[in-house]
Amino acid sequence: MNDQQFVDIKLQENHSLAEVLQQIIENKRKEIGSHQVVVQEVIPTGENKYTVILNSMVASY
């Protein structure tokens, strides 16, 4: 099953976008039990605000 998720984030001054994206991916991987989670797109929506589109693939047997 292919799943797409939209996540809105606001960066704090002491965090980088890369760090936040990595944490989001790691959390999603733990949640669904799969390493097939990727960032499809990052859309700036304002000052230090972004919408992240995640794609995940979960195989059901």
Side-chain angles (χ1 to χ4, degrees):
M1 176 172 67
N2 205 4
D3 185 36
Q4 193 174 60
Q5 182 178 8
F6 293 78
V7 180
D8 292 321
I9 60 173
K10 181 176 181 181
L11 291 180
Q12 303 297 321
E13 290 184 24
N14 58 342
H15 292 106
S16 73
L17 181 57
E19 290 172 340
V20 173
L21 291 175
Q22 185 63 36
Q23 189 63 46
I24 290 171
I25 290 172
E26 288 175 8
N27 290 343
K28 186 66 173 175
R29 286 177 175 169
K30 287 178 186 175
E31 178 185 320
I32 66 172
S34 173
H35 283 278
Q36 295 183 357
V37 178
V38 294
V39 174
Q40 177 181 336
E41 193 166 351
V42 178
I43 304 165
T45 57
E47 188 174 332
N48 294 328
K49 295 180 183 178
Y50 301 89
T51 295
V52 179
I53 303 174
L54 297 176
N55 272 341
S56 56
M57 181 68 172
V58 180
S60 57
Y61 298 100

